[in-house]
């Protein structure tokens, strides 16, 4: 099976006082969190067969290993 990998980095997080204290980028992190909870986004990912993977899976792909 042929597939491609597009790497996109997100830092999703809940809005907390701690988050606000450690980074000025907290609004972007909250946006990232809300983005993946949006039903329309979830539907588009599913409809287009977009598979979300993490760092381990990306590492394995980069090393030439199979996704399983």
């Amino acid at each position: 099976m042929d597939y491609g990998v597009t790497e996109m980095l997100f830092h999703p997080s809940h809005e907390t006082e701690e988050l606000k204290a450690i980074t000025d980028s907290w609004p972007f992190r909250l946006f990232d969190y809300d983005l993946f909870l949006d039903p329309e986004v979830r539907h588009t990912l599913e409809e287009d067969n977009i598979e979300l993977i993490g760092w381990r899976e990306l590492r394995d792909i980069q090393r030439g290993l199979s996704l399983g």
Side-chain angles (χ1 to χ4, degrees):
M1 176 168 113
D2 291 333
Y3 60 91
V5 174
T6 300
E7 182 179 348
M8 299 174 74
L9 182 64
F10 295 92
H11 289 106
S13 182
H14 291 282
E15 182 179 352
T16 65
E17 292 306 313
E18 181 179 7
L19 180 67
K20 291 177 181 181
I22 63 171
T23 181
D24 291 335
S25 70
W26 70 266
F28 301 106
R29 293 173 183 237
L30 180 60
F31 177 84
D32 288 351
Y33 181 82
D34 291 338
L35 178 71
F36 285 101
L37 294 178
D38 183 294
E40 189 173 327
V41 171
R42 305 286 300 178
H43 176 74
T44 299
L45 292 171
E46 189 175 298
E47 185 175 75
D48 291 342
N49 293 320
I50 297 171
E51 182 180 351
L52 302 178
I53 62 172
W55 287 111
R56 287 186 182 129
E57 294 89 354
L58 181 59
R59 177 203 60 205
D60 291 347
I61 292 168
Q62 291 170 335
R63 291 179 179 172
L65 303 174
S66 155
L67 273 176

